[in-house]
Amino acid sequence: MTDDRRAGGGGRPRRVRIAQVAAAVVAAGAVTALAVSLTTGGGSSSAQQSLSTAPPATGSAPPPSPSPSTSPSPSWDGKVKVLGDGSTSDTGPQPNQLKIEKLKPGEKPPQFVVFSWDGALENDDHLFSRFRKLAKENNASMTFFLTGIYLLPEAKHGLYRPPQHDPGSAAISFPTGEHVKETLEQLRLAWQDGNEIGTHFNGHFCGAKGGGDWSTDEWRSEIEQAVSFVTNWRTNTGFTQEAPLPFDFRKELAGGRAPCLEGQKNLLTVAKELGWRYDASSPGEFQVWPSKAGGVWNFPLQLIPFGNKQVLSMDFNFLANQSGDSTQGDPKKYTSWEKQTREGYLDGFSRVYNGSRAPLFIGNHFETWNGGIYMQAIEDVMKQVCKKQDVRCVSFKELSDWLDAQDPKVLDQLRRLDPAQAPDWPTYLK
């Protein structure tokens, strides 16, 4: 990737693609309806179905303030402003952002790659810090989808009022106070490095009474609580020595990914109302140029090669096709599984890098499944692709900025391309 990313023939009809994607997701055996039970300490995590039968909570939180519909270039008086209870602050425009340029006639698009992380907890494995540093070393920015309750210590779990579940309940563990402090530190550094802080909401409820069953009002409550846990962590934790986060989360929040990719229909309604730029909760699509759904950019997980079939571009889906519902499969197979995962991501990258140049979306969790092979595969991929010519490893927010700056007719042309289809760019986008 070059330094300019930082400044302070038609395809097949769309309806055919959609039908093929629906069939391919089923054929690939991609498991997206399982809740991932993530531990907040060191060691491995487990994947299991989590279907809560708890009675619904009463009441709902007020709707959050709308986010800006476009990424602003605000004037700033140069004065840091501490906000609210001192949990967040306004330190001016975010540094290390992509330089947005409109494509010239006949110009080949950059190859965008988005690495994103669901949860974003810094625990005893220190994977948040590991990949934040790795991105910085490879001139990349990423999207961290923060789970709101990861800033709420277990002792204060009763402050969370999940839709359709008992107060204080969650399908994942609440963090320790020390892990909250370590996560806050990584969030500060990540934002200053140029990474995006999005949301993975809160309780990670899937299946019955999960996001797929929530009304728009329930999604509003879940979002407001996710925002509140970030903007009021000082009050909620009682911490007094930690510095504020260097950003106004209500203004910075541009999108999220729903747990288990469930509930996008009603979520999109609320996302549009709040002025969000995008949503990354769609369960799957071929590697094609993005379009909007419900008025916001739709950034789905994508189908990438996996042997003679395809799987969704997330660590969990590789695991499900390699060791089923076990996060500690046969150690004798770790080497071959890691190679298979790495090659799947790289094959998906090569298909579009040498073809349509459609953005590649890769989703992950901070986990140690199957001996940490999925984390190592991602590290290898990031090192191999992010500094290639024309490659831009960016956040979803930066990609939204770039897409919004393009001529809609050019984007329509790009959407006509199949993933591996490389047109004659000077004539195709003239």
Side-chain angles (χ1 to χ4, degrees), residues 78-190:
K79 298 178 181 179
V80 172
K81 298 178 179 65
V82 177
L83 306 173
D85 69 351
S87 296
T88 58
S89 59
D90 181 357
T91 61
Q94 185 176 12
N96 301 313
Q97 292 297 282
L98 177 72
K99 182 180 179 181
I100 304 301
E101 295 180 328
K102 186 177 181 179
L103 285 176
K104 300 178 178 63
E107 182 180 4
K108 182 188 291 188
Q111 177 59 61
F112 293 107
V113 181
V114 182
F115 293 94
S116 59
W117 301 90
D118 291 3
L121 176 72
E122 174 78 341
N123 64 12
D124 293 345
D125 297 320
H126 300 292
L127 291 171
F128 193 154
S129 51
R130 169 184 166 182
F131 282 95
R132 181 189 61 78
K133 294 173 184 176
L134 183 69
K136 191 172 183 178
E137 292 167 359
N138 287 277
N139 200 26
S141 59
M142 303 183 291
T143 293
F144 294 99
F145 289 125
L146 175 66
T147 296
I149 63 171
Y150 283 166
L151 297 186
L152 187 67
E154 200 282 332
K156 298 294 185 71
H157 70 277
L159 294 175
Y160 175 40
R161 312 279 294 187
Q164 301 190 23
H165 293 272
D166 281 338
S169 62
I172 54 177
S173 300
F174 286 81
T176 66
E178 190 60 32
H179 288 152
V180 173
K181 292 180 181 180
E182 292 175 349
T183 299
L184 286 167
E185 178 63 13
Q186 291 307 312
L187 290 170
R188 294 184 197 99
L189 294 170

Side-chain angles (χ1 to χ4, degrees), residues 184-331:
L184 286 167
E185 178 63 13
Q186 291 307 312
L187 290 170
R188 294 184 197 99
L189 294 170
W191 187 85
Q192 290 166 343
D193 289 346
N195 298 289
E196 175 191 7
I197 311 301
T199 184
H200 198 42
F201 307 95
N202 296 303
H204 212 287
F205 293 106
C206 303
K209 298 186 180 181
D213 290 341
W214 293 352
S215 67
T216 53
D217 284 342
E218 288 169 327
W219 271 112
R220 286 191 192 94
S221 172
E222 181 77 353
I223 293 169
E224 172 57 24
Q225 291 183 83
V227 172
S228 179
F229 293 142
V230 178
T231 58
N232 295 291
W233 61 260
R234 189 178 296 279
T235 297
N236 293 339
T237 62
F239 299 157
T240 59
Q241 301 303 311
E242 283 65 36
L245 294 172
F247 53 89
D248 183 344
F249 191 54
R250 289 188 181 274
K251 293 181 178 179
E252 289 291 318
L253 183 56
R257 179 180 287 133
C260 300
L261 309 178
E262 294 179 358
Q264 191 188 42
K265 180 179 178 181
N266 286 340
L267 172 58
L268 282 176
T269 299
V270 183
K272 174 64 174 177
E273 292 174 1
L274 299 179
W276 283 12
R277 310 288 307 289
Y278 71 88
D279 179 68
S281 305
S282 179
E285 171 63 288
F286 281 126
Q287 292 175 262
V288 292
W289 279 88
S291 58
K292 287 190 174 183
V296 300
W297 288 109
N298 185 35
F299 296 146
L301 293 178
Q302 297 168 323
L303 289 164
I304 59 175
F306 181 81
N308 55 7
K309 60 181 180 180
Q310 299 189 85
V311 299
L312 294 181
S313 52
M314 177 175 271
D315 51 5
F316 188 74
N317 296 283
F318 281 96
L319 176 140
N321 281 274
Q322 291 169 336
S323 58
D325 61 359
S326 172
T327 60
Q328 298 300 319
D330 185 354

